[in-house]
Amino acid sequence: MEEIKGTLHPLTLVLEKIYAIFAKQGFSVATGPELEDEWHNFDALNVPKDHPARDMQDTFFIKGKPGFVMRTHTSPVQIRFMKENTPPFAIIAPGKVFRNESTDATHEMQFHQLEGLVVGENITVEHLKGALLSFFKEFFGEQTEIRLRPSFFPFVEPGFEVDVKVVKNGETKWLEVCGAGMVHPSVLEAVGYDPKQVSGFAFGMGVDRLAIVQFEFNDIRALYQGDLRLNQW
Amino acid sequence: MKYSYNWIQSHIEDPLPSPEELKEVIIFHAFEVEEMVKTDDDTIFDIKVLPDRSGDCLSHHGMAREIAGLLDLNFNDIAYTFPPASSEVSIDIQAKECIRYSAVRIDGVNVGPSPAWLVKKLEAVGQRSINTVVDATNFILLDLGQPTHAFDAEKVKGSIVVRYATAGETITTLSGEEKTLTESMMVIADSEKVLAIAGVKGGVAAEVTKDTTSIILEIANFDAVSIRKTSRSLGLVTDASKRFENNLAPYAVEAARAKLAGLIAILAGGTVVAATDHYPNPQLERAISFTLADIQQRLGMTITDLSIIKVLDRYGYTYEKTEDFYTLAVPLWRHDITGAHDMAEEFGRVIGYDTIEAKPLPFAPSIKVNEQYEKIRAIKFYLMQQGYSETMTYSFRKKGEVSIAYGPKDKSALRTNLSEALKESYELNRLNAPLLGLKEVKEFEIGTVFTEAGEVMHVAIADKSGIVEDTVDGYYEAHKDTLATLDVAAIAQSVVGSIGTHTFAPWSAYPFITRDIAVWVSTEAEAKALKEIVDDFAAEYCVRPATLFDTFTKDGKISVAYRFVFQSYEKTLTIEEVEKDFQVLVSTISAHPEMTIR
């Protein structure tokens, strides 16, 4: 008999690859609940109630449990970690997130995100660029480049979209894979830090999206069907 | 929002760069351009303006002002002034969330079809033409970002009242929907009825029609949170509500009123007979201060006083510099600028983020082990080594102890266990075992389950003996001796190292058919030759490599059995088609006298 070893889900493979790269840079892993309260998911992240920014993420609310949601991003893990730790630190927070949107080949109601957060003295956009560039170079290859475009996420200022230049099969493509920015002073204040003493950067990337780029999937929905034909690596 | 290149140009004195160049400037210094479409004599940009700038950039005027600042062009900011009227429009402002209410009565208007230039201008950015008066209000919205509304003055009984609705009060909107209102919603009414949902949508009661000869224009400003709540609870998101909920600046009413009245005079004629402006607390100019060091410390980019002053001047901002401190009079339209951190963004994006260097972290972080995460990794690796494959299913199920409000029907609750979905997955994979090249399906999932008591991380394992499920902590504890000694780092390294570069192979949606063959050979060399035949055949005719599923030796002879899986990506294969292909293999093997098919 041929010996059959089990296979891991492609998202686990991608997460392991990410973990290995960030561990080398000294990033620790932080985790948090998937069913989250609105304070951690929104308010503490500078998204007040009745603010249009809440519409940027379609939210699943919990029936009969006002004030609770399925987390729409991994950013609440930032808040939980900061409240219990003292800078300087560097963390990544991988996890499942949920959006109440109609599904198609590129949208799912659940997907995985990877949050990154670095807080310390004199942290600037230079360090954000440095951390992301070295990550993407290891992930996609040495010839990878990144560029920042202005964007808006309430919990950072300035906020960026990070495009990654990937060379695959001789073809060059700019992919939009990551949002990032300098942690907003209101967020630092919400967790009891003094924005005059410390600063930080944060980023968030779609793990499913990275898997799609890495493995060239045609349909994101295949990831959660329980079909082992997915485990091709 | 859709923006016309020509329309933006009309607000800027100097010539704009080409649409292609303009698009690049917008993308790298301001907003995402989702689409750029060239028409006969114009270019239409679909630009995604996010909530921070929706208060000032959801208009051609606002976008032009931003572009003029970015490119150091002369912005054509005409100061429209409204001529005084001889009498007042009777208004009664009772709702405190009405920040400003300006009303203008024009008599003797002629409501008809709009001229071609206006129809074209509106249609270019996706707005349908209705009539001269309505088109004028829509033009002002797209041009200046200020929502306005026109009422048929003959249909208004008594004063215009801005008040809260009474519970259960109803309105039929201009799109024909009847909406029931609550006491927290602001309305525009007269002495008898509701005329409009303030800042959200007009009603039919005082609709302007072709027979209208006298109109009352509303140019107002309402509290952002109030409008947002009303719009959300009525499920009515309009061009007007979108702008008000993003903190439109009330000072802008002035220019909109003047430009709208002027436009209506051109399009529909008539005479302004009365005007009123209720603005009890005029918007105050705010000031913020920052230093060069504030900006440098945030961006880490080389930035000088000279470059800061250059940017401020390009935008025409008013500021003072005393010693190290810049004091900026925040422009009335920039509600998003509240401190030095916002100015860091302004200078960073205008000068260009590409000028910032990439640098390593200024400290060496120390790793803090996340026990839960490490337990999960160890369990995954251990199960993989035991021949189990990992799957992921949805966190949502039809039923559960914790339910989702407004979720899809078949996924309206959170899973209370992993086993139910894993069982479905196992059944699917068991049927597909030949496709997976497996004799026996063994799989697992690790994920969060939700009960009334809270959320817990579980592991569930399925094989032919059934499904077992435990908490991650419980499972880890039960297998601690093995798991704690597992060389997780080494396994992780080999897992990551073995990630192939091959791309995803989509699977066929059609059923598959299997065929087995068992062959006697006498030597290992013959077995090897057989394997080559089998591999070549499978590569050409099958969806996956042949699986060796049985081998034994008897009386000096070796029996080797292979399984083949036939499946098409285009159709359901018939038994006859498969049989025909399979015969190719049978005859190839039969041509070898040293191999005997059993």
Side-chain angles (χ1 to χ4, degrees):
Chain A
M1 269 309 291
E2 292 170 34
E3 200 211 330
I4 310 268
K5 220 171 95 178
T7 52
L8 292 173
H9 193 279
L11 289 177
T12 296
L13 298 179
V14 169
L15 280 168
E16 279 300 322
K17 189 170 169 182
I18 293 171
Y19 177 102
I21 299 170
F22 277 113
K24 256 194 281 181
Q25 294 189 30
F27 282 65
S28 305
V29 172
T31 46
E34 293 173 10
L35 198 163
E36 186 55 282
D37 61 67
E38 288 193 59
W39 188 82
H40 284 94
N41 195 74
F42 291 123
D43 299 67
L45 288 161
N46 201 28
V47 189
K49 232 186 174 58
D50 297 310
H51 190 278
R54 284 217 181 183
D55 295 346
M56 289 173 76
Q57 303 166 345
D58 294 310
T59 310
F60 281 118
F61 293 92
I62 306 300
K63 203 182 262 179
K65 211 175 171 194
F68 284 85
V69 299
M70 295 310 287
R71 67 176 175 195
T72 55
H73 47 185
T74 40
S75 306
V77 181
Q78 286 184 23
I79 302 296
R80 291 181 177 275
F81 187 89
M82 283 194 279
K83 275 165 63 186
E84 283 164 18
N85 293 274
T86 314
F89 54 74
I91 55 162
I92 50 167
K96 201 187 278 179
V97 301
F98 307 85
R99 299 277 173 92
N100 191 0
E101 51 185 38
S102 42
T103 59
D104 59 32
T106 54
H107 295 89
E108 247 302 359
M109 51 200 280
Q110 69 179 41
F111 55 96
H112 287 74
Q113 248 185 9
L114 181 94
E115 192 81 7
L117 174 72
V118 173
V119 181
E121 283 175 25
N122 301 317
I123 301 291
T124 72
V125 179
E126 293 170 301
H127 307 119
L128 162 66
K129 260 191 158 175
L132 286 176
L133 182 62
S134 60
F135 167 72
F136 284 117
K137 272 179 180 285
E138 276 212 53
F139 194 89
F140 286 119
E142 197 45 41
Q143 67 281 63
T144 304
E145 293 171 29
I146 63 167
R147 69 182 180 199
L148 307 183
R149 285 186 286 113
S151 190
F152 167 71
F153 307 98
F155 34 97
V156 290
E157 185 75 25
F160 316 108
E161 282 297 341
V162 183
D163 293 339
V164 178
K165 185 180 170 184
V166 178
V167 183
K168 222 174 175 184
N169 310 324
E171 232 187 298
T172 303
K173 270 192 244 172
W174 282 100
L175 305 166
E176 193 182 300
V177 290
C178 181
M182 300 304 293
V183 182
H184 198 286
S186 307
V187 175
L188 296 173
E189 278 163 10
V191 297
Y193 292 178
D194 180 357
K196 287 191 189 71
Q197 298 299 316
V198 291
S199 57
F201 66 79
F203 57 84
M205 52 184 103
V207 179
D208 304 41
R209 177 114 177 84
L210 287 179
I212 281 176
V213 176
Q214 167 100 31
F215 300 126
E216 296 183 30
F217 279 110
N218 50 3
D219 195 333
I220 193 170
R221 289 168 294 191
L223 292 170
Y224 304 105
Q225 301 303 324
D227 193 329
L228 287 180
R229 283 178 287 182
L230 182 72
N231 297 14
Q232 301 178 359
W233 296 273
Chain B
M1 171 180 163
K2 287 198 167 109
Y3 297 82
S4 140
Y5 177 86
N6 294 342
W7 198 334
I8 291 172
Q9 177 70 77
S10 74
H11 286 284
I12 298 176
E13 281 172 24
D14 304 314
L16 285 171
S18 72
E20 289 75 14
E21 286 171 74
L22 182 59
K23 181 185 166 193
E24 292 292 298
V25 168
I26 297 172
I27 287 177
F28 290 104
H29 301 279
F31 307 112
E32 196 166 323
V33 177
E34 297 196 308
E35 203 181 24
M36 184 175 95
V37 180
K38 294 222 169 204
T39 60
D40 287 348
D41 53 358
D42 200 355
T43 301
I44 306 300
F45 300 96
D46 194 348
I47 304 176
K48 191 168 160 188
V49 176
L50 293 170
D52 59 331
R53 297 300 300 278
S54 290
D56 75 304
C57 282
L58 282 181
S59 68
H60 284 84
H61 176 264
M63 187 57 73
R65 181 168 49 205
E66 177 58 39
I67 290 167
L70 282 176
L71 293 169
D72 198 11
L73 303 174
N74 277 315
F75 180 52
N76 197 355
D77 201 6
I78 299 169
Y80 290 95
T81 47
F82 187 76
S86 51
S87 64
E88 297 226 316
V89 178
S90 173
I91 61 169
D92 177 8
I93 312 300
Q94 298 172 3
K96 61 178 189 312
E97 285 157 321
C98 173
I99 294 166
R100 185 171 188 178
Y101 200 93
S102 204
V104 177
R105 180 171 173 137
I106 305 176
D107 285 348
V109 293
N110 181 13
V111 181
S114 289
W117 68 265
L118 181 57
V119 175
K120 190 179 166 193
K121 209 160 185 174
L122 293 174
E123 283 179 352
V125 291
Q127 179 69 51
R128 193 168 54 91
S129 168
I130 296 165
N131 62 45
T132 41
V133 170
V134 175
D135 287 358
T137 62
N138 284 333
F139 175 88
I140 293 299
L141 176 95
L142 297 165
D143 189 49
L144 300 179
Q146 170 71 47
T148 63
H149 191 70
F151 300 104
D152 184 330
E154 305 287 332
K155 296 174 188 163
V156 178
K157 305 297 171 208
S159 299
I160 293 259
V161 186
V162 183
R163 60 168 170 84
Y164 294 99
T166 53
E169 204 167 9
T170 59
I171 179 175
T172 304
T173 69
L174 282 172
S175 42
E177 280 177 283
E178 183 167 298
K179 293 283 180 188
T180 304
L181 309 170
T182 65
E183 285 159 311
S184 65
M185 298 174 179
M186 254 190 299
V187 295
I188 314 300
D190 64 7
S191 57
E192 294 174 355
K193 59 199 175 290
V194 177
L195 305 176
I197 306 163
V200 180
K201 186 102 188 163
V204 290
E207 184 178 4
V208 171
T209 67
K210 62 178 171 35
D211 302 321
T212 300
T213 56
S214 190
I215 55 173
I216 296 172
L217 300 174
E218 166 194 296
I219 310 99
N221 192 289
F222 304 101
D223 175 71
V225 171
S226 167
I227 296 301
R228 180 176 162 84
K229 281 184 174 167
T230 301
S231 154
R232 287 301 172 283
S233 61
L234 291 174
L236 208 55
V237 178
T238 62
D239 285 337
S241 74
K242 259 188 281 176
R243 285 166 176 84
F244 284 127
E245 71 169 30
N246 280 295
N247 287 297
L248 198 64
Y251 89 94
V253 161
E254 186 63 41
R257 176 168 71 151
K259 201 167 181 182
L260 177 61
L263 188 60
I264 286 182
I266 294 167
L267 297 171
T271 318
V272 172
V273 293
T276 302
D277 188 19
H278 169 87
Y279 191 22
N281 300 301
Q283 194 182 352
L284 295 175
E285 201 160 75
R286 290 175 295 121
I288 56 151
S289 63
F290 60 89
T291 62
L292 179 63
D294 286 340
I295 308 302
Q296 282 171 334
Q297 273 165 20
R298 221 169 166 73
L299 297 176
M301 78 202 280
T302 324
I303 199 166
T304 60
D305 279 308
L306 191 70
S307 50
I308 283 196
I309 288 166
K310 229 166 121 184
V311 171
L312 292 172
D313 287 344
R314 268 156 70 175
Y315 279 84
Y317 289 173
T318 311
Y319 63 93
E320 269 175 32
K321 186 167 186 267
T322 38
E323 287 170 27
D324 288 346
F325 284 89
Y326 288 86
T327 305
L328 174 78
V330 178
L332 292 172
W333 55 91
R334 291 298 302 270
H335 77 91
D336 61 310
I337 296 181
T338 60
H341 54 286
D342 296 309
M343 292 316 292
E345 165 152 68
E346 289 295 293
F347 296 117
R349 73 181 174 86
V350 174
I351 294 165
Y353 293 130
D354 54 336
T355 60
I356 301 177
E357 269 181 71
K359 283 190 182 163
L361 294 184
F363 65 96
S366 53
I367 298 233
K368 196 177 161 185
V369 174
N370 183 315
E371 279 182 31
Q372 172 88 352
Y373 200 75
E374 294 307 327
K375 278 182 191 173
I376 292 169
R377 294 179 73 220
I379 296 172
K380 281 186 181 181
F381 292 161
Y382 168 69
L383 288 171
M384 177 188 71
Q385 287 188 330
Q386 303 303 307
Y388 289 85
S389 291
E390 186 190 14
T391 189
M392 289 188 195
T393 62
Y394 286 99
S395 297
F396 302 96
R397 298 287 294 174
K398 223 175 196 165
K399 283 185 183 147
E401 292 175 25
V402 183
S403 295
I404 296 294
Y406 323 110
K409 249 198 186 128
D410 62 327
K411 297 189 175 81
S412 62
L414 297 171
R415 59 185 178 190
T416 56
N417 62 67
L418 302 175
S419 299
E420 278 174 46
L422 191 63
K423 187 167 191 294
E424 291 163 11
S425 164
Y426 180 77
E427 287 309 318
L428 166 77
N429 293 320
R430 199 175 55 84
L431 292 172
N432 283 338
L435 279 175
L436 298 163
L438 295 174
K439 202 169 169 185
E440 189 198 338
V441 172
K442 297 162 90 177
E443 61 174 299
F444 73 97
E445 175 167 11
I446 295 181
T448 311
V449 303
F450 305 82
T451 64
E452 278 160 9
E455 64 174 86
V456 192
M457 191 63 79
H458 272 203
V459 52
I461 301 160
D463 56 31
K464 65 181 175 197
S465 58
I467 296 180
V468 290
E469 178 162 354
D470 197 352
T471 61
V472 158
D473 289 340
Y475 187 89
Y476 190 87
E477 210 46 52
H479 298 77
K480 204 171 181 176
D481 292 345
T482 323
L483 291 170
T485 55
L486 206 63
D487 191 349
V488 171
I491 301 168
Q493 204 181 356
S494 97
V495 161
V496 173
S498 70
I499 298 176
T501 51
H502 65 276
T503 56
F504 174 66
W507 52 79
S508 163
Y510 297 97
F512 64 89
I513 294 174
T514 60
R515 279 289 173 273
D516 296 347
I517 199 163
V519 182
W520 286 115
V521 290
S522 307
T523 63
E524 284 298 334
E526 285 169 16
K528 210 178 150 214
L530 174 67
K531 186 177 185 311
E532 269 173 38
I533 294 172
V534 157
D535 286 345
D536 288 350
F537 173 78
E540 192 175 345
Y541 291 94
C542 298
V543 284
R544 54 162 292 114
T547 318
L548 175 73
F549 72 94
D550 189 32
T551 175
F552 61 89
T553 311
K554 196 182 171 190
D555 306 331
K557 285 194 150 193
I558 310 164
S559 168
V560 195
Y562 284 100
R563 175 160 296 162
F564 302 87
V565 189
F566 299 84
Q567 189 181 36
S568 160
Y569 280 84
E570 283 104 35
K571 57 174 186 159
T572 300
L573 291 178
T574 63
I575 301 282
E576 291 73 27
E577 284 167 315
V578 170
E579 208 47 57
K580 197 175 150 226
D581 286 350
F582 193 58
Q583 281 312 313
V584 174
L585 176 70
V586 171
S587 48
T588 311
I589 295 174
S590 303
H592 289 262
E594 72 282 13
M595 300 175 187
T596 316
I597 298 173
R598 282 171 63 204

